[in-house]
Amino acid sequence: MVQFHRHHGQEGSILVTRVEEPSKYGVVVCEADTGRIHRFVEKPQVFVSNKINAGMYILSPAVLRRIQLRPTSIEKEVFPVMAEEGQLYAMELQGFWMDIGQPKDFLTGMCLFLQSLRQKQPEQLCSGPGIVGNVLVDPSARIGQNCSIGPNVSLGPGVVVEDGVCIRRCTVLRDAHIRSHSWLESCIVGWRCRVGQWVRMENVTVLGEDVIVNDELYLNGPACCPTSPLATRCRSLGSSCERPAEPRVGQGTLAWASQARTRCVSGSWTGWKQLDTCFCGHKPGGVLVGTPSPPPQEGRAGC
Amino acid sequence: MQCWSHKPCIREVAIAAMLKAVILIGGPQKGTRFRPLSFEVPKPLFPVAGVPMIQHHIEACAQVPGMQEILLIGFYQPDEPLTRFLEAAQQEFNLPVRYLQEFAPLGTGGGLYHFRDQILAGGPEAFFVLNADVCSDFPLSAMLAAHRHQPHPFLLLGTTANRTQSLNYGCIVENPQTHEVLHYVEKPSTFVSDIINCGIYLFSPEALKPLRDVFQRNQQNGQLEDSSGLWRGAGTIRLEQDVFAALAGQGQIYVHLNDGIWSQIKSAGSALYASRLYLGQYQLTHPERLAKHSPGGPRIRGNVYIHPTAKVAPSAVLGPNVSIGEGVTVGEGVRLRESIVLHGATLQEHTCVLHSIVGWGSMVGRWSRVEGTPNDPNPNDPRAHMDSESLFKDGKLLPAITILGCRVRIPAEVLILNSIVLPHKELSRSFTNQIIL
């Protein structure tokens, strides 16, 4: 990229990448041979170009003089001017690229990264009995017997995976603990979480820091974030009378729905309607996790 | 009646101790809510807490002193499972157990009248009439004592229900001092009484006289239409509407109240609930049927029945309320809770089966999850019973027990949630809230 920048000698170079659905992003229109950028189009309605700003730039110090001392968006205010003056060039990125702002894209990005690791530094990936495909395991992580890990899994430092666990396409962050016989697919398990036995998590379930998932639960795509005020309510709605220190996804807990997923396992539970109206500030129809059963009387008071 | 001789003699005493029992088992046109489980085996033979449904009835009857014979009345064709069951029951309980097949569905009372000669043969003092699809602690001796204290033609067993649920059953208004049934109405639309009919009766031979009256009246009226507009065949008698409702308040029908376990078994969900009730009873009546934790065996929580020929891995965790049938294989690390596994089924490693019925010869692949939603009565209310369950509401399938029919194959790592899978189906992916044909 530095070579490219020195070669054309103008003020700025940005990396662009080719995507399948450019209208979700800011699109770059440039000359095919030199790479000189003509203009930017933000979220075009019709197809203009399939190259988008990959978010990596090399800028000469002269660019700083273009920025005024106030909150400025470089993409919206500086780059279009530079493009008009012919000072901005685009270089196409050869490798993989992903916007990993959304959990779903984060997991796809992880798959791309592991794939590139397989090509460039395969010795970093894990292999052995129970390991399938591209799996990255920190040396301090522990995996039990009769597990099936992978493809596309990364286990962080201090992670403990007990016997008989199946993990596919997940990221497990530092010090998380997955108990035996559970099945995880397309999940992000946060730092220091504890996932119980016989748990099934799928469909981009995201657990924030230090979340406990009780045994035998089924989580289908919720995001459970321990520091949100929702988690405080989660605490009082959890099973039985204990007041655990950490937020607990127990039977009948309402966890925040990611995106607009409104999968609801309704049971013969009259309290469900009350829960729905309590959380009217959020997207309606959060995901009810766990097996619905007549809630303990204390649980409803938490609303 | 001729058997009541007025000359006291030893023969009279011997006859007085003679009792019979009649179990009404219905036929294939009845019990359709039990499908797809009733495709394989007639509903009365479906195993509840490890034993066929009517075996609980027969066991209770066999324990009443003086029981001479048990008659099953229904309109199933006498096929192999039924015949084999009858032979096994006769051997085990040392009592004649005979099946009387109705020529056509005759209603809850028609069969009793049609086979009256068989029932009264030998001059029984009284005979019990039991519906096959109830689960109960069968307080037959208490009913007999009440009957002997004050003989009446009809004695009904009653239990209490809460106000809203009583509308789903036959309601009995009783005189609290004499226990006479003053009024009887079947499934009223407004609240009548919180005492409901358990479907377990004790009739004296005099009871057949009102049945004869109803039968003859129906014959005279020719073609009949009841309130729902359905034509009923000649010879049908509905005990509840034609006899109890008509005779209430005339000093003929009495009720004996019982607060033991009781439930109707109309659907798979209620079979699972009845299983739990019976397994709880086993603590007192058949403790040998309950599985105990043993070294090298699976972990047992609560009441669990495991057939002796089943193979269960030591790392499995079973219970509460689990029944495992003959020849079942339960793999390593399996979790079973509130479920019935029917004979020959296989659960592979690490599967999780909750609130489900796994059909005969089915196979559940590794790491799969088979889960249903219980519709149990409110445990906080001792008088609550199961609600009358419909499959759909507003066109959507209501969450209920998951049922895997006979020889269903579930692949590895999938989820089957709140679904009914018809027999012989091989699935390839997860399903939730579906009926899979």
Side-chain angles (χ1 to χ4, degrees):
Chain A
M1 196 179 169
V2 175
Q3 252 183 323
F4 175 80
H5 182 75
R6 286 190 176 139
H7 178 76
H8 69 70
Q10 303 301 321
E11 280 183 19
S13 305
I14 62 176
L15 263 180
V16 296
T17 185
R18 191 191 294 244
V19 292
E20 284 183 358
E21 293 181 46
S23 51
K24 295 197 287 202
Y25 307 95
V27 166
V28 173
V29 180
C30 55
E31 264 171 48
D33 43 357
T34 61
R36 206 182 75 154
I37 295 181
H38 291 296
R39 57 194 167 97
F40 288 89
V41 184
E42 190 67 23
K43 292 194 181 49
Q45 300 280 9
V46 296
F47 181 85
V48 175
S49 158
N50 58 6
K51 304 215 181 22
I52 61 158
N53 179 357
M56 283 169 271
Y57 319 129
I58 291 187
L59 306 170
S60 311
V63 173
L64 291 172
R65 271 183 259 123
R66 294 178 183 268
I67 305 174
Q68 294 170 9
L69 199 61
R70 57 176 174 80
T72 306
S73 163
I74 199 172
E75 292 87 1
K76 292 202 174 108
E77 298 177 46
V78 179
F79 283 168
V81 176
M82 286 170 69
E84 298 231 333
E85 297 174 10
Q87 294 283 339
L88 203 54
Y89 278 71
M91 173 174 151
E92 190 171 338
L93 178 63
Q94 295 305 313
F96 65 91
W97 182 92
M98 278 225 62
D99 172 355
I100 55 171
Q102 303 271 15
K104 172 166 75 87
D105 296 329
F106 176 87
L107 289 173
T108 313
M110 174 192 71
C111 295
L112 290 176
F113 174 77
L114 289 175
Q115 200 176 342
S116 96
L117 208 56
R118 168 71 66 191
Q119 285 156 359
K120 303 209 176 115
Q121 293 175 306
E123 67 281 1
Q124 295 235 5
L125 292 175
C126 186
S127 58
I131 304 290
V132 180
N134 299 332
V135 176
L136 186 63
V137 179
D138 188 275
S140 61
R142 298 273 162 274
I143 303 178
Q145 313 242 2
N146 298 320
C147 289
S148 177
I149 312 290
N152 295 319
V153 172
S154 77
L155 305 182
V159 163
V160 175
V161 173
E162 289 189 6
D163 297 343
V165 171
C166 181
I167 307 183
R168 306 212 186 287
R169 206 172 177 269
C170 293
T171 294
V172 182
L173 300 178
R174 171 192 292 271
D175 291 332
H177 190 125
I178 317 275
R179 299 203 54 209
S180 46
H181 314 300
S182 288
W183 186 89
L184 281 64
E185 184 186 62
S186 293
C187 303
I188 302 177
V189 180
W191 313 264
R192 296 188 290 122
C193 280
R194 264 157 287 167
V195 175
Q197 298 184 295
W198 290 288
V199 167
R200 181 183 176 97
M201 297 185 0
E202 58 182 343
N203 225 345
V204 196
T205 296
V206 179
L207 301 182
E209 181 177 358
D210 202 10
V211 173
I212 298 174
V213 181
N214 285 348
D215 294 346
E216 299 158 34
L217 288 186
Y218 169 54
L219 305 188
N220 181 16
C224 192
C225 176
T227 53
S228 79
L230 217 68
T232 330
R233 289 179 214 181
C234 282
R235 240 178 273 157
S236 57
L237 286 167
S239 57
S240 76
C241 325
E242 29 185 285
R243 296 263 181 253
E246 312 84 358
R248 203 176 261 267
V249 181
Q251 295 211 348
T253 305
L254 178 70
W256 183 40
S258 63
Q259 306 185 299
R261 227 177 291 276
T262 52
R263 197 78 53 95
C264 174
V265 180
S266 68
S268 50
W269 208 35
T270 56
W272 174 234
K273 283 256 165 33
Q274 298 171 16
L275 280 168
D276 222 26
T277 54
C278 280
F279 297 94
C280 54
H282 303 269
K283 281 209 164 71
V287 173
L288 177 67
V289 303
T291 28
S293 55
Q297 295 308 111
E298 310 83 53
R300 268 185 260 185
C303 272
Chain B
M1 302 289 289
Q2 300 133 304
C3 40
W4 291 108
S5 159
H6 291 292
K7 287 181 287 207
C9 64
I10 296 170
R11 193 169 129 265
E12 186 180 275
V13 170
I15 288 169
M18 201 265 241
L19 300 162
K20 288 198 188 182
V22 176
I23 305 181
L24 306 174
I25 67 170
Q29 285 102 318
K30 290 279 166 194
T32 54
R33 267 179 284 176
F34 214 66
R35 294 172 174 177
L37 298 168
S38 51
F39 288 148
E40 278 312 298
V41 131
K43 180 178 157 190
L45 297 183
F46 184 80
V48 177
V51 217
M53 204 184 287
I54 46 177
Q55 187 168 324
H56 296 277
H57 298 55
I58 297 178
E59 279 175 6
C61 292
Q63 280 169 7
V64 178
M67 186 64 64
Q68 289 294 336
E69 185 178 47
I70 298 181
L71 301 167
L72 305 181
I73 295 183
F75 49 98
Y76 285 100
Q77 295 293 356
D79 61 358
E80 219 202 285
L82 190 54
T83 332
R84 259 190 291 130
F85 172 77
L86 291 173
E87 283 167 11
Q90 293 205 85
Q91 287 220 326
E92 184 169 344
F93 300 105
N94 222 5
L95 263 186
V97 180
R98 290 194 294 133
Y99 174 51
L100 304 173
Q101 184 187 1
E102 293 172 6
F103 59 90
L106 295 177
T108 42
L112 291 177
Y113 181 72
H114 184 76
F115 292 112
R116 61 195 177 284
D117 295 328
Q118 309 251 20
I119 297 173
L120 294 179
E125 170 197 358
F127 58 99
F128 290 98
V129 176
L130 313 163
N131 277 298
D133 59 358
V134 295
C135 146
S136 170
D137 59 348
F138 300 109
L140 303 180
S141 300
M143 288 174 78
L144 189 58
H147 174 84
R148 284 180 173 156
H149 179 70
Q150 279 259 286
H152 296 287
F154 301 92
L155 181 67
L156 314 185
L157 186 68
T159 188
T160 43
N162 60 38
R163 288 180 71 104
T164 31
Q165 289 182 333
S166 69
L167 306 183
N168 299 324
Y169 302 97
C171 295
I172 297 171
V173 179
E174 74 151 351
N175 178 326
Q177 279 84 42
T178 64
H179 302 296
E180 183 193 346
V181 172
L182 302 172
H183 186 68
Y184 181 95
V185 58
E186 185 71 16
K187 295 192 183 54
S189 48
T190 52
F191 177 74
V192 169
S193 166
D194 58 1
I195 299 175
I196 57 172
N197 175 11
C198 289
I200 296 170
Y201 318 125
L202 178 56
F203 293 171
S204 73
E206 276 84 41
L208 287 168
K209 187 169 165 309
L211 284 182
R212 187 187 66 208
D213 293 339
V214 172
F215 179 80
Q216 286 170 346
R217 197 171 49 235
N218 289 350
Q219 294 279 53
Q220 284 165 5
N221 289 347
Q223 302 230 346
L224 301 161
E225 248 188 65
D226 65 17
S227 52
S228 59
L230 292 169
W231 179 77
R232 284 187 293 127
T236 56
I237 300 174
R238 299 165 305 170
L239 265 183
E240 298 79 17
Q241 290 92 331
D242 298 335
V243 182
F244 299 158
L247 291 183
Q250 295 176 27
Q252 305 229 27
I253 314 185
Y254 283 71
V255 63
H256 175 79
L257 285 183
N258 180 46
D259 58 6
I261 60 163
W262 182 82
S263 178
Q264 265 187 336
I265 308 179
K266 295 290 187 199
S267 69
S270 43
L272 208 42
Y273 178 63
S275 196
R276 187 193 314 158
L277 294 178
Y278 277 138
L279 284 173
Q281 289 277 99
Y282 282 172
Q283 300 261 3
L284 300 165
T285 54
H286 287 280
E288 75 285 357
R289 285 187 186 160
L290 290 177
K292 308 259 176 306
H293 179 62
S294 60
R299 261 208 309 267
I300 308 287
R301 294 187 191 162
N303 298 324
V304 172
Y305 167 81
I306 306 180
H307 193 276
T309 60
K311 292 195 201 40
V312 183
S315 54
V317 179
L318 309 178
N321 185 18
V322 166
S323 305
I324 296 186
E326 189 181 338
V328 164
T329 307
V330 176
E332 298 283 344
V334 168
R335 178 75 178 102
L336 264 176
R337 191 178 81 203
E338 298 281 339
S339 295
I340 296 178
V341 184
L342 296 170
H343 94 243
T346 303
L347 303 179
Q348 294 194 337
E349 297 81 49
H350 316 299
T351 51
C352 185
V353 176
L354 311 174
H355 302 285
S356 303
I357 298 184
V358 179
W360 303 263
S362 288
M363 200 274 295
V364 181
R366 293 183 311 165
W367 277 298
S368 280
R369 182 180 180 101
V370 178
E371 183 179 357
T373 303
N375 284 317
D376 291 346
N378 184 353
N380 294 327
D381 180 355
R383 305 193 317 166
H385 298 281
M386 292 211 78
D387 280 322
S388 93
E389 309 136 60
S390 49
L391 266 183
F392 290 92
K393 184 174 172 173
D394 300 327
K396 290 176 88 154
L397 192 59
L398 282 176
I401 303 290
T402 284
I403 307 173
L404 305 184
C406 156
R407 304 203 78 83
V408 164
R409 298 180 70 82
I410 309 285
E413 301 181 40
V414 301
L415 167 72
I416 309 296
L417 176 65
N418 297 339
S419 296
I420 301 176
V421 186
L422 261 57
H424 303 285
K425 179 71 185 171
E426 181 163 349
L427 298 180
S428 54
R429 59 175 179 90
S430 298
F431 287 92
T432 54
N433 300 296
Q434 307 254 3
I435 299 181
I436 300 149
L437 303 170

